[in-house]
């Protein structure tokens, strides 16, 4: 299937349909991943088996989708297109990893009340890269002409030549207006646990922080169980809130 964003970018997408769904989950992957990645597919399968419809897509500049990657900025429009596609009669939970978490928070902060919750996985709090090999590689890939060409040829990611640096996630999370679960793996070699703690501290209630042992970066490791726990928590926390009709947002 295909989604079309408000800035006319076409996204390759896929539904995982539960038999009797109790909610819809939008999965937003991280940089260099995609809708056919084994880790994302495994997570989507687990969520579907738990009675959740799941919608995932190749973010702009990734896989079979059009456009260029902006590292979480205009990807908020990708999230908006997915939310607008979900059935309006059921609550929607956003589950974003790394770049996808940035996009999910950015969308939710711009459209308060349109989602029932956000699960942020491996999200940086501020615009800084770790001083290790993976951080240096990320900077080279995304911030240099040669690196962007390498990303296009060898990773299959088309990165915009100019990526703006809007407000960082730590400034967005308090404006989400829905339950927020911050999930982070102790084995994450790229984003430290301190970022998760900063995000949790900046979030408004209801909020939740889960730091788990068997998870690496994004959807690496045994991520299905803690993600499902956080999705169920978001749904439970949102029950007392009055349902609101969804409308196009994120522009």
């Amino acid at each position: 299937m295909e989604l079309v964003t408000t800035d006319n970018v076409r996204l390759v997408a896929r539904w995982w349909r539960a038999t009797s769904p109790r909610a819809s989950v939008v999965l937003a992957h991280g940089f260099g991943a995609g809708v056919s990645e084994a880790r994302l597919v495994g997570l989507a399968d687990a969520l579907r088996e738990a009675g959740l419809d799941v919608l995932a897509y190749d973010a702009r500049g990734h896989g079979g989708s059009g456009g260029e990657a902006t590292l979480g900025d205009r990807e908020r429009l990708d999230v908006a297109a997915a939310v607008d596609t979900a059935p309006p009669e059921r609550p929607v939970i956003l589950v974003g990893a790394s770049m996808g978490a940035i996009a999910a928070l950015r969308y939710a902060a711009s459209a308060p009340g349109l989602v029932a919750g956000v699960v942020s996985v491996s999200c940086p709090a501020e615009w800084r890269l770790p001083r290790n090999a993976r951080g240096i590689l990320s900077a080279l890939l995304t911030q240099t002409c040669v690196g962007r060409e390498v990303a296009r040829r060898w990773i299959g990611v088309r990165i915009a030549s100019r990526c703006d640096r809007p407000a960082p996630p730590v400034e967005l999370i308090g404006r989400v207006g829905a339950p927020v679960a911050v999930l982070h793996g102790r084995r994450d070699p790229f984003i430290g646990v301190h970022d998760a703690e900063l995000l949790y501290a900046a979030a408004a209630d209801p909020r939740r922080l889960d730091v788990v042992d068997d998870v690496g970066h994004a959807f690496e490791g045994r991520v299905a169980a803690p993600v499902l726990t956080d999705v169920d928590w978001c749904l439970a926390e949102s029950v007392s809130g009055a349902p609101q009709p969804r409308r196009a947002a994120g522009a």
Side-chain angles (χ1 to χ4, degrees):
M1 64 171 292
E2 184 178 79
L3 306 176
V4 182
T5 67
T6 55
D7 61 342
N8 204 34
V9 175
R10 297 183 179 277
L11 309 175
V12 172
R14 175 185 171 185
W15 275 106
W16 284 256
R17 300 283 191 180
T19 302
S20 299
R22 51 199 174 93
S24 299
V25 172
V26 171
L27 284 184
H29 65 76
F31 179 80
V35 72
S36 60
E37 182 193 39
R39 288 187 287 258
L40 184 146
V41 171
L43 175 58
D45 286 341
L47 294 173
R48 176 179 57 187
E49 290 171 5
L52 298 159
D53 274 352
V54 180
L55 176 58
Y57 53 87
D58 284 341
R60 60 184 59 213
H62 288 68
S65 292
E68 295 179 322
T70 63
L71 310 180
D73 182 15
R74 296 193 70 78
E75 282 79 4
R76 72 190 185 279
L77 304 181
D78 303 352
V79 176
V83 171
D84 291 344
T85 301
E89 68 273 13
R90 288 196 294 272
V92 173
I93 304 292
L94 306 180
V95 177
S98 193
M99 180 188 77
I102 298 171
L105 290 174
R106 193 165 301 286
Y107 167 78
S110 71
L114 298 190
V115 296
V118 179
V119 180
S120 167
V121 185
S122 296
C123 187
E126 299 171 331
W127 299 133
R128 66 173 185 270
L129 292 169
R131 295 180 181 180
N132 57 27
R134 196 162 179 173
I136 293 171
L137 177 60
S138 177
L140 291 173
L141 285 175
T142 60
Q143 298 176 20
T144 68
C145 293
V146 172
R148 288 190 289 270
E149 181 62 19
V150 169
R152 184 184 68 82
R153 291 192 178 190
W154 296 101
I155 307 177
V157 179
R158 303 173 305 281
I159 305 171
S161 59
R162 177 182 175 183
C163 295
D164 293 332
R165 284 292 179 91
V170 73
E171 296 180 17
L172 297 172
I173 197 166
R175 306 203 302 264
V176 165
V180 177
V182 179
L183 175 61
H184 208 90
R186 293 192 189 275
R187 291 170 41 210
D188 192 329
F190 192 54
I191 305 296
V193 172
H194 181 61
D195 284 64
E197 294 169 341
L198 288 175
L199 289 171
Y200 174 75
D205 289 323
R207 56 184 173 164
R208 176 187 177 107
L209 174 63
D210 289 307
V211 179
V212 292
D213 291 330
D214 295 329
V215 173
H217 185 65
F219 297 144
E220 296 172 359
R222 299 179 180 178
V223 72
V227 166
L228 179 57
T229 295
D230 284 350
V231 168
D232 284 339
W233 174 83
C234 286
L235 289 171
E237 289 292 329
S238 68
V239 165
S240 60
Q244 299 183 31
R246 293 201 303 275
R247 62 191 184 279

